[in-house]
Amino acid sequence: MKENYLLVKEKWIEELKARGLFLKHKKTGAQVLLLDNKNENKTFAIGFRTPPEDSTGVAHIVEHSVLSGSRKYRTKEPFMDMIQSSMQTFLNAMTYPDKTLYPISSRNTKDFLQLMDVYLDAVFYPRMYELKEVFLQEGHHQEIHEGVLSYNGVVYNEMKGVYGDPINQVSAALGNFLHPKGTYSHDSGGDPRVIPSLTYEAFLDFHRRYYHPSNAYIFLAGDLDFDQVLDQIDRDYLSHFDYQAPKSDIVGHPPFKEPQSREATYSISQEEYREDKAFFALAWDFGPLESLKDQMLRAFLADLLVQSEGAPLKTRLLEAGIGEDVYVELSTSNRLDFTLYVHHAHPKTYPDFLRIVKETLEDLVKEGIDKEELAAVLNKFEFSIRQGGDAHKDLLAYIQSLGLWLYGQDPLEGLEMAPILEDMRSAAQGRAYEDLIQGWFLDTPHRVQALITPQVGKGAKEDQALAKKLAGDLEAMKEEEVQAIRDQQEALFGFQLREDTPEAKATIPRLDLTDVEKAIAPTPREEGDIEGIPTVFSDQPTNGIHYLRLAFDISHLDKEELFYASLLSALLGRLATGDKSYAQVNKDIFLNTGGIQFSTPVYSHRIVPNYTPYMLVSMATLENKMEDGLRVLEEIMTQTRFDQAKRNQEALLSTKTDFEASILSSGHSLMADRLVSYFHEAAALDQWMNNLDFYFNLAQVLGTFNNDLLEEKLRAVYDKVFLRNKLTIHLVSSSQDFDGLAHSLVPFLRGLKEADLAPVPFPFSLQAKNEGFSSSSSVQYVSQGFDLGAFGQEFTGDLRVLASILSSSYLHNQIRAKGGAYGAGVRISRTGALATYSYRDPKLKETLGVYRGMGDFIRQLDLDQRALSDFIIGTMNSFDPHLSPLGKAKLDFSNYLNGIDLAYREELKDQALSTSLAQLKDRADLLDQLMEKDFHVVMGNEDLIKKNKDLFKTIRPIFR
């Protein structure tokens, strides 16, 4: 390592428990960050600074394309090959406004080294130079079907989906208003109106310019022999290049001399339209990112001013009746952008919005910020640092370091938050934050105020204009030009559906079944009781944080009460208690805990179809704070007030808009869950309590808001939920703390009441609802499936192998590669539910046709044992997932409640390991039978759904 790399800096990072090393490759200048933390999950990433010069999406299309075959790995999609055959715990690529990242991780060292090599070969030696079909598939191409000329392409359709979401349309408009010129005026993901102008030559030029070691930011972390890994990277890749001065500067533009005012529109369907669905925005550019402290201060102010319950900007705007919700968007570039949004407001209140924001900021500077509020938000920051991210904390550390590193600064300085937090605590004693508000928000001239109003059919009109243009183009074409498109289309389809040769497949690195550990590592668990209440103790390294989870069985509630229990979970902790305002409650929560959350999960038991709905209470505290946290929790559970109509309405509107924000981004899972609710009672209950039915009912409650009725219903449920005899306790901490934590819980538990209430059946009837949910989006989310149990089939481990083969081979090729959807697959759950899904899919009826072909595909499946073993290996992480310590404890607790033991999990894993081709082929008739039931659901373009109205029993708008 020393021979080929220069050690620039070495430092111990206490909060990451890691030795950090910053290196530069001597020959090429490639920069390397190492985190020696002995983490079992090993992480590699390579990133490039990739500032776009237009909105053709070239950075995004290159990101997709480099993973479609390389010099050494000769299949069409090594990325998918590794997804299906690797034990990876993370495998993806991401395009940001000015950078592109390629991260992988695995707990298996052999697998890690293979994945790393696949990615390095992909980024430096992609086959897209010799295969134009890669560009056509992943970027864009023209097709002619039934005499109609159209565009298709994976990224093209993905970005049509992105731009179909009103929130993304508004965000794109604000980004362009704030940065009208330079790098950040362009959409690196691609504007679908511009993507078709990208040429193959410009696409290749982009790769030549940016994908060079001299422009590379390499990351390694985990329990690795770093000398060996770095030598491999140098020997096989970096040493083959010479230094090339990076031409990847971020292009800026002159700052505004005075604030700007803008107006725009976003697309909405006729059925969704209301005049009061405008967005208001104020966007600031605070200047260039110069330190991690800048980032932390900006995030802190977002929480302090807007995102916390009782935050002054949010509170004053909602109390004035302006909008349904208020939220913040922060940039991920080297500009410190801060954008404040009001969601769904009436345009006539826009002047009030501007006035209230200005007056609120001025009042904070003049009167000072509440010191307890400062302390509470700072306490939230401390929790986030101690928790250290999720299961992929090393990857998150890499992304965080790039906040400085990408712009020429020390990456190690981008990793240490704890010292900055101490400075921030000290600053809270004076007027530093008031001065910051004055300087950043009030005195910064580079800001934009914007009114974005809904325009019915805007997207449809753009689609119609494009269709008209393409029709004119087709009419004007010479016969040889038309034939050239048809020939290219046919050649591309042939390329997409052509099987890789045995020689190409042999280039893909593989694990053997002998590399797989058959046993599943047990999660430490001690079962006992506190005051006679069943208790699960999970011994995990939690860095001084204690986690308490209280699971109250609420199966004694009837259908209406279960809905109000979910409303209750959305409100608790956000309302006044006793003589405390909701803002004081929020302060009390975060002065004494890391947060208190209420949720209503539905857990499906091992013995199908049994299930249990819960009111789940989660709380985190630091050392010696459990009793204080329990005091706050007891107040919320016993003294919450429901008599404040305006606050109830505000909190429920916020819940509604939060759900709406996720609808299009997670449409595939939303539709798959909806489908399963047609034939599984537990899924139907989950729809009622947490999913679409909950959203529709919530919209109805808000549309006919009656607080007297709401208070009556909530109070009745509130008195029946937190029952001692319905409780199971979960404690997560170090075992040495269990006795003290149990002792702290005794007074709290003794205060809970009991009631002898019998379970109430949830009304359910199996029916193929076959719903169509319409929106202004240009793409679809299509799901079809049924219940294996209806045909006498129990879930077994081999079904996960079947799902993997269908997803990564048949459905991927037919719906993504050929059809142009961003993604497609099938999931087969432990409950026996099979649900297909497609994501940002330009097709509808054709996708349903593909689903019906799954049986034939499996019937004709021809896999040798080597290929079958690859698919088997690819399913192994599903039986023993990589999780954070808290994640492991949570999974173990849900298994405990569901009656799932380690022996059962290992039995499923063993069944998967012993899967045979004959077993899989025996499932072909079952797949036919499931699809013949014709249970399906679609969310997507309003016009296309109505055009295919014969497929649906009901059609209604998704947004309410």
Side-chain angles (χ1 to χ4, degrees):
M1 179 177 75
K2 294 178 181 177
E3 181 179 318
N4 300 307
Y5 298 86
L6 173 68
L7 177 61
V8 179
K9 187 176 181 180
E10 180 176 354
K11 191 173 188 180
W12 175 256
I13 312 294
E14 176 60 30
E15 59 210 68
L16 298 179
K17 299 293 187 288
R19 183 171 66 105
L21 296 93
F22 177 30
L23 310 167
K24 285 190 178 180
H25 186 250
K26 292 179 179 178
K27 185 180 181 189
T28 64
Q31 300 182 53
V32 184
L33 175 63
L34 310 182
L35 288 184
D36 185 1
N37 55 11
K38 309 306 178 188
N39 191 341
E40 175 196 24
N41 191 53
K42 304 152 189 66
T43 301
F44 161 82
I46 184 166
F48 303 92
R49 191 164 58 197
T50 53
E53 296 181 347
D54 53 41
S55 292
T56 59
V58 60
H60 190 183
I61 296 168
V62 169
E63 174 229 299
H64 278 238
S65 299
V66 300
L67 298 173
S68 297
S70 67
R71 172 192 61 175
K72 290 166 63 175
Y73 305 110
R74 306 296 290 178
T75 60
K76 289 186 299 180
E77 294 189 86
F79 175 78
M80 288 304 301
D81 295 329
M82 300 307 290
I83 283 278
Q84 70 192 25
S85 65
S86 161
M87 292 177 65
Q88 52 82 23
T89 54
F90 192 92
L91 188 69
N92 213 330
M94 298 97 92
T95 301
Y96 288 82
D98 54 15
K99 57 183 173 285
T100 310
L101 310 182
Y102 297 87
I104 62 98
S105 63
S106 178
R107 290 173 288 186
N108 181 289
T109 300
K110 177 181 176 182
D111 190 38
F112 169 82
L113 293 173
Q114 291 178 168
L115 289 168
M116 182 183 76
D117 199 65
V118 167
Y119 263 38
L120 285 166
D121 208 65
V123 297
F124 291 128
Y125 302 105
R127 288 189 76 193
M128 63 193 198
Y129 284 90
E130 60 185 271
L131 294 172
K132 186 178 180 180
E133 291 90 345
V134 170
F135 167 72
L136 298 174
Q137 171 181 291
E138 300 300 323
H140 68 87
H141 62 274
Q142 291 185 320
E143 295 180 357
I144 299 174
H145 293 285
E146 298 179 353
V148 176
L149 179 66
S150 62
Y151 290 118
N152 202 352
V154 173
V155 170
Y156 175 74
N157 289 319
E158 177 189 353
M159 297 312 296
K160 283 180 68 178
V162 169
Y163 274 74
D165 189 330
I167 291 175
N168 291 332
Q169 292 177 49
V170 172
S171 176
L174 262 295
N176 195 259
F177 292 158
L178 196 61
H179 300 290
K181 297 179 181 179
T183 295
Y184 301 124
S185 68
H186 308 301
D187 187 341
S188 62
D191 183 331
R193 295 166 296 188
V194 183
I195 288 172
S197 67
L198 178 65
T199 66
Y200 181 52
E201 292 72 24
F203 161 79
L204 295 179
D205 285 344
F206 189 91
H207 180 270
R208 292 188 190 99
R209 178 174 180 179
Y210 294 129
Y211 281 63
H212 188 279
S214 302
N215 189 43
Y217 300 80
I218 298 171
F219 177 75
L220 291 163
D223 188 7
L224 289 164
D225 183 334
F226 288 108
D227 286 340
Q228 175 188 342
V229 176
L230 287 170
D231 284 344
Q232 178 181 332
I233 294 173
D234 169 71
R235 180 182 64 252
D236 294 345
Y237 294 97
L238 302 184
S239 65
H240 299 273
F241 294 83
D242 295 317
Y243 177 77
Q244 175 180 299
K247 298 177 181 178
S248 58
D249 293 341
I250 310 296
V251 178
H253 57 86
F256 299 159
K257 294 182 179 179
E258 58 185 24
Q260 305 291 302
S261 181
R262 297 286 186 272
E263 292 188 4
T265 59
Y266 73 91
S267 180
I268 194 170
S269 70
Q270 182 64 59
E271 292 177 317
E272 296 168 348
Y273 176 79
R274 291 198 320 262
E275 191 177 1
D276 63 354
K277 284 195 171 184
F279 286 81
F280 304 159
L282 271 166
W284 291 264
D285 177 355
F286 297 148
L289 172 62
E290 296 179 346
S291 68
L292 177 60
K293 186 173 183 178
D294 287 342
Q295 282 186 320
M296 291 177 65
L297 286 170
R298 183 183 57 165
F300 173 75
L301 288 177
D303 213 346
L304 180 74
L305 298 176
V306 182
Q307 292 171 168
S308 296
E309 299 295 336
L313 281 174
K314 184 174 186 176
T315 299
R316 292 195 189 182
L317 288 167
L318 294 180
E319 286 181 350
I322 298 176
E324 294 183 355
D325 198 11
V326 183
Y327 63 97
V328 168
E329 181 180 44
L330 305 178
S331 58
T332 59
S333 66
N334 78 330
R335 304 303 302 182
L336 283 168
D337 294 350
F338 185 112
T339 306
L340 171 72
Y341 294 99
V342 167
H343 178 100
H344 287 180
H346 198 289
K348 69 182 181 182
T349 64
Y350 181 58
D352 293 327
F353 160 71
L354 299 175
R355 174 183 55 80
I356 290 171
V357 172
K358 182 175 184 292
E359 290 177 353
T360 302
L361 294 171
E362 289 174 341
D363 288 347
L364 289 170
V365 173
K366 181 180 177 181
E367 299 169 11
I369 303 168
D370 183 284
K371 297 298 184 185
E372 282 195 341
E373 185 69 21
L374 281 172
V377 179
L378 284 166
N379 197 40
K380 289 173 69 175
F381 267 63
E382 183 173 350
F383 267 92
S384 67
I385 291 172
R386 284 191 181 231
Q387 289 170 326
D390 63 6
H392 299 291
K393 61 182 181 180
D394 289 342
L395 173 56
L396 295 176
Y398 171 58
I399 295 171
Q400 180 179 314
S401 74
L402 285 168
L404 296 181
W405 190 12
L406 194 78
Y407 313 116
Q409 299 184 60
D410 182 352
L412 294 173
E413 296 302 316
L415 298 175
E416 292 190 284
M417 292 186 285
I420 298 172
L421 181 61
E422 288 306 309
D423 290 344
M424 292 172 66
R425 286 192 181 280
S426 298
Q429 307 308 312
R431 285 186 51 84
Y433 295 104
E434 289 83 353
D435 293 343
L436 197 58
I437 291 172
Q438 180 70 50
W440 275 2
F441 291 94
L442 295 172
D443 294 344
T444 295
H446 196 113
R447 62 181 187 266
V448 177
Q449 62 189 43
L451 168 63
I452 301 97
T453 52
Q455 179 180 336
V456 174
K458 179 182 180 181
K461 290 174 184 175
E462 291 176 349
D463 289 343
Q464 290 164 8
L466 176 61
K468 184 177 180 180
K469 175 188 177 300
L470 290 174
D473 291 346
L474 181 61
E475 187 175 352
M477 286 181 187
K478 297 177 181 178
E479 179 58 36
E480 55 266 29
E481 293 174 316
V482 174
Q483 190 59 46
I485 292 175
R486 293 187 185 279
D487 290 346
Q488 178 182 270
Q489 178 179 330
E490 184 177 348
L492 179 59
F493 283 0
F495 168 79
Q496 290 166 332
L497 300 180
R498 187 168 61 241
E499 285 286 327
D500 289 313
T501 65
E503 292 79 14
K505 291 179 181 179
T507 66
I508 300 299
R510 288 166 164 167
L511 296 175
D512 297 314
L513 288 177
T514 55
D515 294 316
V516 177
E517 177 62 54
K518 291 188 176 182
I520 296 175
T523 301
R525 179 206 295 175
E526 180 183 336
E527 299 176 26
D529 73 273
I530 303 174
E531 289 287 291
I533 299 172
T535 304
V536 172
F537 300 91
S538 296
D539 182 7
Q540 293 288 343
T542 58
N543 198 21
I545 299 176
H546 307 312
Y547 297 95
L548 169 67
R549 306 174 77 227
L550 306 173
F552 293 92
D553 180 342
I554 55 173
S555 56
H556 55 279
L557 302 182
D558 64 26
K559 182 178 181 180
E560 182 184 59
E561 290 172 327
L562 287 167
F563 167 68
Y564 280 96
S566 289
L567 284 189
L568 188 67
S569 73
L571 291 170
L572 290 176
R574 304 171 69 188
L575 304 181
T577 63
D579 59 356
K580 291 182 179 177
S581 69
Y582 71 88
Q584 289 172 317
V585 170
N586 182 74
K587 280 192 290 188
D588 217 8
I589 288 172
F590 288 105
L591 284 171
N592 296 285
T593 79
I596 297 174
Q597 294 86 35
F598 296 82
S599 59
T600 51
V602 180
Y603 285 172
S604 294
H605 299 177
R606 175 180 172 180
I607 301 174
V608 178
N610 296 338
Y611 63 88
T612 304
Y614 288 95
M615 174 69 76
L616 185 62
V617 185
S618 304
M619 183 177 78
T621 67
L622 294 176
E623 301 99 324
N624 305 318
K625 276 287 189 176
M626 179 61 77
E627 291 182 3
D628 292 323
L630 289 169
R631 172 186 56 77
V632 177
L633 180 57
E634 183 178 21
E635 287 181 12
I636 294 170
M637 289 171 56
T638 61
Q639 299 179 43
T640 292
R641 295 172 54 189
F642 305 106
D643 59 343
Q644 298 179 325
K646 190 168 183 58
R647 178 55 190 163
N648 288 340
Q649 193 172 26
E650 290 170 0
L652 291 178
L653 278 169
S654 176
T655 300
K656 176 176 173 283
T657 56
D658 284 347
F659 189 96
E660 288 173 340
S662 68
I663 285 177
L664 293 181
S665 61
S666 58
H668 60 308
S669 59
L670 196 71
M671 290 299 99
D673 289 342
R674 186 69 173 181
L675 173 80
V676 177
S677 73
Y678 294 172
F679 51 81
H680 267 194
E681 185 175 326
L685 175 55
D686 186 63
Q687 287 284 310
W688 183 253
M689 297 180 69
N690 304 302
N691 218 307
L692 275 180
D693 284 333
F694 172 78
Y695 166 67
F696 297 147
N697 289 331
L698 172 58
Q700 185 174 356
V701 166
L702 287 165
T704 58
F705 191 75
N706 180 334
N707 197 70
D708 290 339
L709 178 61
L710 177 65
E711 182 179 1
E712 176 188 338
K713 299 291 187 182
L714 290 172
R715 177 62 61 184
V717 171
Y718 187 56
D719 291 339
K720 294 171 68 173
V721 165
F722 302 113
L723 301 178
R724 174 189 171 102
N725 57 311
K726 299 284 188 178
L727 173 62
T728 305
I729 301 170
H730 185 208
L731 280 169
V732 186
S733 188
S734 299
S735 58
Q736 66 213 39
D737 296 320
F738 286 153
D739 288 343
L741 293 174
H743 179 75
S744 298
L745 273 167
V746 170
F748 170 82
L749 297 173
R750 288 177 178 172
L752 296 176
K753 57 188 176 184
E754 297 191 6
D756 186 15
L757 299 171
V760 177
F762 180 75
F764 171 75
S765 61
L766 183 148
Q767 54 181 314
K769 295 182 180 179
N770 294 3
E771 299 161 293
F773 294 105
S774 62
S775 75
S776 59
S777 173
S778 298
V779 291
Q780 283 60 246
Y781 306 83
V782 184
S783 185
Q784 184 173 357
F786 197 62
D787 180 21
L788 278 69
F791 297 95
Q793 300 291 322
E794 292 185 0
F795 180 79
T796 49
D798 63 287
L799 288 169
R800 287 195 179 158
V801 181
L802 177 70
S804 175
I805 292 171
L806 287 169
S807 296
S808 57
S809 293
Y810 175 67
L811 296 176
H812 175 83
N813 290 339
Q814 293 290 332
I815 297 175
R816 185 189 186 277
K818 180 180 177 182
Y822 184 63
V826 59
R827 68 188 197 195
I828 306 176
S829 72
R830 178 178 52 80
T831 62
L834 181 146
T836 58
Y837 59 86
S838 68
Y839 185 67
R840 292 177 177 164
D841 186 350
K843 307 294 175 61
L844 195 165
K845 193 172 184 178
E846 298 89 339
T847 296
L848 292 171
V850 171
Y851 294 153
R852 288 191 287 272
M854 292 190 300
D856 283 342
F857 172 77
I858 292 298
R859 199 171 283 112
Q860 298 165 19
L861 189 65
D862 183 18
L863 294 175
D864 60 26
Q865 188 55 47
R866 174 69 261 183
L868 178 58
S869 296
D870 289 343
F871 283 110
I872 292 171
I873 290 167
T875 68
M876 289 298 100
N877 278 332
S878 66
F879 299 100
D880 185 15
H882 170 61
L883 299 167
S884 66
L886 178 61
K888 291 177 183 178
K890 286 181 175 181
L891 175 61
D892 185 65
F893 184 57
S894 65
N895 284 337
Y896 167 82
L897 293 176
N898 289 333
I900 296 172
D901 57 18
L902 184 62
Y904 174 65
R905 293 170 63 200
E906 289 184 335
E907 178 186 355
L908 292 178
K909 186 176 181 180
D910 187 62
Q911 289 168 349
L913 284 167
S914 60
T915 300
S916 68
L917 182 61
Q919 272 181 297
L920 296 173
K921 285 179 171 289
D922 284 345
R923 303 289 191 182
D925 290 345
L926 175 62
L927 290 171
D928 289 341
Q929 291 171 323
L930 293 168
M931 293 301 105
E932 285 168 5
K933 298 297 289 187
D934 197 27
F935 279 51
H936 61 262
V937 61
V938 178
M939 178 174 71
N941 178 262
E942 180 180 18
D943 292 339
L944 187 58
I945 284 180
K946 289 179 177 178
K947 182 180 177 181
N948 291 276
K949 62 183 179 180
D950 292 346
L951 292 172
F952 306 106
K953 295 182 178 179
T954 59
I955 295 175
R956 51 181 170 157
I958 189 71
F959 291 104
R960 304 298 165 88

